[in-house]
Amino acid sequence: GIASVVAGHPLDTVKTRLQAGQGYGNTFKCVLTVYRNESLAGFFKGMSFPLASIGIYSSVVFGVFSNTQRLLSQRRHGDAAAAPSLADVTLASIVAGVISVGIGTPVELVKIRLQMQTQPYTKAKVKLNSTVPGSPVYRGPIHCLRTILQKEGIAGIYRGNVAMLLRDVPGYCAYFIPYAMFCDWITPDGSISPSPFSIWVAGGVAGAVSWAVCTPMDVVKSRLQADGVYLNQYKGTLDCMLQSYQKEGLKVFCRGLFVNTVRGFPSSAATFLGYELSLKAMKRCQTETNP
């Protein structure tokens, strides 16, 4: 999880600015604008909170996915270690997507609120309660979380949860299924497990496919969660979709598609490689401790 954040956060910031910001144009122009106005530090805004919480989030998502697979294999084939069917992988992906929303929504909300602040708090000569676009509102992730709780309550922390659910359920299906298929396809016959290179490639392809599939709802989620930093524009998921479509047409739901797909490869490749190598290392350590 930590590997995925480090590998993907700069492009995630670009993606969020393209989807929920104004005046950034295309991907290249957005990168230049962020760099000129905020230097390299601008690309890492909002990273600390995902970095601190990603371990729990990834553990839950991968743990739920793996254990659901084992449970289904046990019930269908009488052996938890049996190779899961496509239906098993799909159902496990759906369960993981639903569970992920409960943990992921507050993390995404804080990350996006901080990413949409286009000015560092310490350098701004404005009051904290200023609502002028471009002025800072939050000192950091903890202050952001506390401010949202005070102003909007628990419901505010889960703003955008419906859009995230509609993003993550198909998104995780398009994440785990291609990974399993590509791993199986790339791994030579007779090999017990895929090589690190096979895992890296399969994970990267799965990430690119997944983000391409869920970009339309990611746009809606980003806009809903960014809404509230300065103004409250949207009443809910459907209202956000309608307003976005009326103002910008269908193309609005493809905002950030390129950068999402490009970012998805290294981020997911790092996630799956870190996951598989960590499991192997822990199993090896366990075998050496308890031969």
Side-chain angles (χ1 to χ4, degrees):
I2 290 169
S4 74
V5 172
V6 173
H9 193 83
L11 283 177
D12 184 70
T13 299
V14 175
K15 179 266 297 184
T16 302
R17 295 285 180 89
L18 282 170
Q19 291 178 340
Q22 298 292 329
Y24 288 104
N26 56 35
T27 303
F28 183 67
K29 185 182 176 183
C30 182
V31 170
L32 285 179
T33 303
V34 173
Y35 179 73
R36 285 170 182 166
N37 294 342
E38 304 163 59
S39 74
L40 281 175
F43 295 101
F44 293 92
K45 280 189 174 181
M47 191 173 88
S48 59
F49 195 52
L51 202 61
S53 58
I54 194 68
I56 298 170
Y57 177 79
S58 294
S59 297
V60 170
V61 170
F62 277 81
V64 166
F65 173 76
S66 299
N67 284 302
T68 303
Q69 269 194 340
R70 290 192 191 97
L71 179 65
L72 291 170
S73 294
Q74 180 68 47
R75 297 197 62 160
R76 288 176 187 270
H77 313 293
D79 181 12
S85 65
L86 180 60
D88 293 345
V89 177
T90 303
L91 184 55
S93 301
I94 291 170
V95 173
V98 171
I99 297 298
S100 73
V101 174
I103 300 171
T105 304
V107 176
E108 288 276 306
L109 178 69
V110 171
K111 180 198 74 175
I112 284 176
R113 291 286 177 95
L114 291 173
Q115 285 174 328
M116 291 308 295
Q117 289 193 128
T118 56
Q119 193 175 359
Y121 178 79
T122 52
K123 294 181 181 178
K125 296 179 180 179
V126 293
K127 294 181 179 179
L128 180 64
N129 61 0
S130 174
T131 56
V132 179
S135 65
V137 180
Y138 312 113
R139 297 189 190 104
I142 302 302
H143 180 259
C144 177
L145 200 62
R146 191 169 65 241
T147 303
I148 295 169
L149 274 170
Q150 288 172 348
K151 291 184 176 180
E152 304 171 52
I154 295 295
I157 292 295
Y158 283 91
R159 184 173 178 81
N161 61 343
V162 174
M164 191 165 177
L165 187 68
L166 294 173
R167 182 196 75 168
D168 282 4
V169 170
Y172 275 117
C173 287
Y175 188 59
F176 287 115
I177 294 172
Y179 173 72
M181 291 174 66
F182 271 91
C183 259
D184 186 57
W185 181 54
I186 295 172
T187 304
D189 293 335
S191 297
I192 299 172
S193 60
S195 67
F197 178 74
S198 297
I199 293 167
W200 185 83
V201 171
V205 170
V209 170
S210 174
W211 276 109
V213 167
C214 66
T215 290
M217 285 313 302
D218 188 50
V219 173
V220 177
K221 181 200 72 71
S222 294
R223 290 189 164 205
L224 277 170
Q225 292 185 324
D227 190 40
V229 177
Y230 304 113
L231 300 168
N232 285 302
Q233 187 177 352
Y234 308 115
K235 296 174 184 176
T237 303
L238 185 60
D239 182 51
C240 179
M241 292 171 71
L242 288 172
Q243 283 198 47
S244 298
Y245 172 71
Q246 287 167 358
K247 290 177 182 177
E248 301 172 62
L250 279 175
K251 65 180 182 180
V252 70
F253 300 109
C254 293
R255 274 199 175 192
L257 176 62
F258 174 75
V259 72
N260 254 348
T261 307
V262 170
R263 179 182 67 93
F265 192 100
S267 179
S268 296
T271 300
F272 277 106
L273 188 59
Y275 172 71
E276 297 286 3
L277 293 181
S278 297
L279 276 182
K280 286 181 181 179
M282 285 185 280
K283 285 176 181 176
R284 187 165 55 247
C285 184
Q286 192 175 26
T287 303
E288 290 172 358
T289 308
N290 302 303

mmCIF file of all heavy atoms in Angstrom, residues 84-109:
data_model
loop_
_atom_site.group_PDB
_atom_site.id
_atom_site.type_symbol
_atom_site.label_atom_id
_atom_site.label_comp_id
_atom_site.label_asym_id
_atom_site.label_seq_id
_atom_site.Cartn_x
_atom_site.Cartn_y
_atom_site.Cartn_z
ATOM 1 N N PRO A 84 -9.575 -20.655 -7.646
ATOM 2 C CA PRO A 84 -10.915 -20.049 -7.714
ATOM 3 C C PRO A 84 -11.408 -19.920 -9.158
ATOM 4 O O PRO A 84 -10.607 -19.727 -10.074
ATOM 5 C CB PRO A 84 -10.713 -18.675 -7.080
ATOM 6 C CG PRO A 84 -9.270 -18.355 -7.323
ATOM 7 C CD PRO A 84 -8.544 -19.671 -7.282
ATOM 8 N N SER A 85 -12.710 -20.032 -9.335
ATOM 9 C CA SER A 85 -13.305 -19.833 -10.658
ATOM 10 C C SER A 85 -13.454 -18.340 -10.920
ATOM 11 O O SER A 85 -13.273 -17.510 -10.019
ATOM 12 C CB SER A 85 -14.672 -20.508 -10.721
ATOM 13 O OG SER A 85 -15.576 -19.873 -9.820
ATOM 14 N N LEU A 86 -13.810 -17.982 -12.150
ATOM 15 C CA LEU A 86 -14.028 -16.578 -12.509
ATOM 16 C C LEU A 86 -15.159 -15.977 -11.676
ATOM 17 O O LEU A 86 -15.075 -14.825 -11.233
ATOM 18 C CB LEU A 86 -14.361 -16.465 -13.999
ATOM 19 C CG LEU A 86 -14.615 -15.047 -14.544
ATOM 20 C CD1 LEU A 86 -13.394 -14.164 -14.361
ATOM 21 C CD2 LEU A 86 -15.022 -15.102 -16.015
ATOM 22 N N ALA A 87 -16.204 -16.776 -11.419
ATOM 23 C CA ALA A 87 -17.322 -16.302 -10.600
ATOM 24 C C ALA A 87 -16.865 -16.014 -9.169
ATOM 25 O O ALA A 87 -17.306 -15.031 -8.556
ATOM 26 C CB ALA A 87 -18.442 -17.343 -10.594
ATOM 27 N N ASP A 88 -15.966 -16.865 -8.642
ATOM 28 C CA ASP A 88 -15.438 -16.664 -7.289
ATOM 29 C C ASP A 88 -14.633 -15.371 -7.205
ATOM 30 O O ASP A 88 -14.770 -14.589 -6.252
ATOM 31 C CB ASP A 88 -14.551 -17.840 -6.880
ATOM 32 C CG ASP A 88 -15.323 -19.133 -6.712
ATOM 33 O OD1 ASP A 88 -16.565 -19.074 -6.627
ATOM 34 O OD2 ASP A 88 -14.694 -20.210 -6.669
ATOM 35 N N VAL A 89 -13.776 -15.141 -8.200
ATOM 36 C CA VAL A 89 -12.946 -13.924 -8.232
ATOM 37 C C VAL A 89 -13.837 -12.681 -8.343
ATOM 38 O O VAL A 89 -13.600 -11.671 -7.672
ATOM 39 C CB VAL A 89 -11.937 -13.967 -9.405
ATOM 40 C CG1 VAL A 89 -11.138 -12.667 -9.475
ATOM 41 C CG2 VAL A 89 -10.991 -15.144 -9.261
ATOM 42 N N THR A 90 -14.879 -12.772 -9.154
ATOM 43 C CA THR A 90 -15.798 -11.641 -9.342
ATOM 44 C C THR A 90 -16.522 -11.308 -8.047
ATOM 45 O O THR A 90 -16.584 -10.138 -7.647
ATOM 46 C CB THR A 90 -16.829 -11.962 -10.444
ATOM 47 O OG1 THR A 90 -16.142 -12.282 -11.659
ATOM 48 C CG2 THR A 90 -17.762 -10.781 -10.690
ATOM 49 N N LEU A 91 -17.057 -12.331 -7.387
ATOM 50 C CA LEU A 91 -17.784 -12.103 -6.134
ATOM 51 C C LEU A 91 -16.865 -11.566 -5.049
ATOM 52 O O LEU A 91 -17.230 -10.643 -4.303
ATOM 53 C CB LEU A 91 -18.454 -13.401 -5.674
ATOM 54 C CG LEU A 91 -19.343 -13.309 -4.426
ATOM 55 C CD1 LEU A 91 -20.432 -12.243 -4.603
ATOM 56 C CD2 LEU A 91 -19.981 -14.668 -4.120
ATOM 57 N N ALA A 92 -15.657 -12.113 -4.958
ATOM 58 C CA ALA A 92 -14.678 -11.637 -3.973
ATOM 59 C C ALA A 92 -14.300 -10.180 -4.252
ATOM 60 O O ALA A 92 -14.117 -9.384 -3.311
ATOM 61 C CB ALA A 92 -13.433 -12.517 -4.007
ATOM 62 N N SER A 93 -14.198 -9.811 -5.540
ATOM 63 C CA SER A 93 -13.879 -8.423 -5.924
ATOM 64 C C SER A 93 -14.996 -7.475 -5.508
ATOM 65 O O SER A 93 -14.738 -6.366 -5.014
ATOM 66 C CB SER A 93 -13.667 -8.329 -7.437
ATOM 67 O OG SER A 93 -12.631 -9.165 -7.865
ATOM 68 N N ILE A 94 -16.246 -7.899 -5.701
ATOM 69 C CA ILE A 94 -17.403 -7.071 -5.325
ATOM 70 C C ILE A 94 -17.433 -6.840 -3.816
ATOM 71 O O ILE A 94 -17.626 -5.711 -3.353
ATOM 72 C CB ILE A 94 -18.715 -7.731 -5.797
ATOM 73 C CG1 ILE A 94 -18.798 -7.699 -7.330
ATOM 74 C CG2 ILE A 94 -19.933 -7.043 -5.190
ATOM 75 C CD1 ILE A 94 -19.927 -8.531 -7.910
ATOM 76 N N VAL A 95 -17.210 -7.912 -3.050
ATOM 77 C CA VAL A 95 -17.201 -7.802 -1.579
ATOM 78 C C VAL A 95 -16.088 -6.856 -1.137
ATOM 79 O O VAL A 95 -16.295 -5.986 -0.276
ATOM 80 C CB VAL A 95 -17.043 -9.190 -0.920
ATOM 81 C CG1 VAL A 95 -16.860 -9.053 0.591
ATOM 82 C CG2 VAL A 95 -18.242 -10.069 -1.231
ATOM 83 N N ALA A 96 -14.893 -7.004 -1.726
ATOM 84 C CA ALA A 96 -13.765 -6.127 -1.384
ATOM 85 C C ALA A 96 -14.082 -4.678 -1.721
ATOM 86 O O ALA A 96 -13.750 -3.759 -0.955
ATOM 87 C CB ALA A 96 -12.508 -6.579 -2.132
ATOM 88 N N GLY A 97 -14.742 -4.443 -2.864
ATOM 89 C CA GLY A 97 -15.113 -3.085 -3.267
ATOM 90 C C GLY A 97 -16.083 -2.436 -2.305
ATOM 91 O O GLY A 97 -15.936 -1.258 -1.947
ATOM 92 N N VAL A 98 -17.072 -3.205 -1.835
ATOM 93 C CA VAL A 98 -18.071 -2.683 -0.883
ATOM 94 C C VAL A 98 -17.404 -2.349 0.446
ATOM 95 O O VAL A 98 -17.631 -1.268 1.021
ATOM 96 C CB VAL A 98 -19.211 -3.701 -0.683
ATOM 97 C CG1 VAL A 98 -20.123 -3.261 0.459
ATOM 98 C CG2 VAL A 98 -20.017 -3.878 -1.970
ATOM 99 N N ILE A 99 -16.572 -3.259 0.951
ATOM 100 C CA ILE A 99 -15.909 -3.047 2.244
ATOM 101 C C ILE A 99 -14.934 -1.870 2.180
ATOM 102 O O ILE A 99 -14.791 -1.117 3.153
ATOM 103 C CB ILE A 99 -15.158 -4.332 2.681
ATOM 104 C CG1 ILE A 99 -16.145 -5.496 2.908
ATOM 105 C CG2 ILE A 99 -14.331 -4.082 3.941
ATOM 106 C CD1 ILE A 99 -17.158 -5.269 4.007
ATOM 107 N N SER A 100 -14.293 -1.693 1.037
ATOM 108 C CA SER A 100 -13.286 -0.639 0.914
ATOM 109 C C SER A 100 -13.858 0.757 1.106
ATOM 110 O O SER A 100 -13.152 1.671 1.548
ATOM 111 C CB SER A 100 -12.606 -0.720 -0.457
ATOM 112 O OG SER A 100 -13.476 -0.270 -1.479
ATOM 113 N N VAL A 101 -15.139 0.931 0.754
ATOM 114 C CA VAL A 101 -15.767 2.256 0.828
ATOM 115 C C VAL A 101 -15.819 2.770 2.266
ATOM 116 O O VAL A 101 -15.606 3.959 2.524
ATOM 117 C CB VAL A 101 -17.182 2.214 0.207
ATOM 118 C CG1 VAL A 101 -17.907 3.540 0.400
ATOM 119 C CG2 VAL A 101 -17.085 1.902 -1.280
ATOM 120 N N GLY A 102 -16.082 1.878 3.208
ATOM 121 C CA GLY A 102 -16.180 2.281 4.615
ATOM 122 C C GLY A 102 -14.896 2.885 5.147
ATOM 123 O O GLY A 102 -14.919 3.837 5.928
ATOM 124 N N ILE A 103 -13.766 2.344 4.715
ATOM 125 C CA ILE A 103 -12.472 2.853 5.175
ATOM 126 C C ILE A 103 -11.952 3.940 4.240
ATOM 127 O O ILE A 103 -11.390 4.940 4.678
ATOM 128 C CB ILE A 103 -11.438 1.703 5.232
ATOM 129 C CG1 ILE A 103 -11.905 0.619 6.192
ATOM 130 C CG2 ILE A 103 -10.068 2.215 5.659
ATOM 131 C CD1 ILE A 103 -11.070 -0.630 6.155
ATOM 132 N N GLY A 104 -12.155 3.736 2.950
ATOM 133 C CA GLY A 104 -11.527 4.600 1.954
ATOM 134 C C GLY A 104 -12.143 5.971 1.779
ATOM 135 O O GLY A 104 -11.438 6.919 1.429
ATOM 136 N N THR A 105 -13.458 6.117 2.036
ATOM 137 C CA THR A 105 -14.117 7.403 1.786
ATOM 138 C C THR A 105 -13.516 8.552 2.608
ATOM 139 O O THR A 105 -13.185 9.602 2.041
ATOM 140 C CB THR A 105 -15.634 7.307 2.023
ATOM 141 O OG1 THR A 105 -16.175 6.275 1.203
ATOM 142 C CG2 THR A 105 -16.331 8.621 1.696
ATOM 143 N N PRO A 106 -13.347 8.411 3.944
ATOM 144 C CA PRO A 106 -12.745 9.515 4.708
ATOM 145 C C PRO A 106 -11.324 9.837 4.257
ATOM 146 O O PRO A 106 -10.930 11.004 4.208
ATOM 147 C CB PRO A 106 -12.761 8.997 6.150
ATOM 148 C CG PRO A 106 -13.829 7.951 6.183
ATOM 149 C CD PRO A 106 -13.773 7.311 4.839
ATOM 150 N N VAL A 107 -10.550 8.799 3.925
ATOM 151 C CA VAL A 107 -9.166 9.005 3.479
ATOM 152 C C VAL A 107 -9.147 9.785 2.161
ATOM 153 O O VAL A 107 -8.390 10.750 2.002
ATOM 154 C CB VAL A 107 -8.443 7.647 3.303
ATOM 155 C CG1 VAL A 107 -7.035 7.855 2.742
ATOM 156 C CG2 VAL A 107 -8.373 6.904 4.630
ATOM 157 N N GLU A 108 -9.986 9.366 1.211
ATOM 158 C CA GLU A 108 -10.072 10.049 -0.079
ATOM 159 C C GLU A 108 -10.545 11.485 0.080
ATOM 160 O O GLU A 108 -10.064 12.396 -0.593
ATOM 161 C CB GLU A 108 -11.031 9.283 -0.997
ATOM 162 C CG GLU A 108 -10.491 7.982 -1.516
ATOM 163 C CD GLU A 108 -9.636 8.158 -2.748
ATOM 164 O OE1 GLU A 108 -10.104 8.767 -3.723
ATOM 165 O OE2 GLU A 108 -8.475 7.698 -2.727
ATOM 166 N N LEU A 109 -11.511 11.689 0.969
ATOM 167 C CA LEU A 109 -12.066 13.025 1.206
ATOM 168 C C LEU A 109 -10.979 13.982 1.688
ATOM 169 O O LEU A 109 -10.821 15.084 1.141
ATOM 170 C CB LEU A 109 -13.196 12.959 2.235
ATOM 171 C CG LEU A 109 -13.840 14.296 2.612
ATOM 172 C CD1 LEU A 109 -14.634 14.856 1.450
ATOM 173 C CD2 LEU A 109 -14.736 14.136 3.836
#
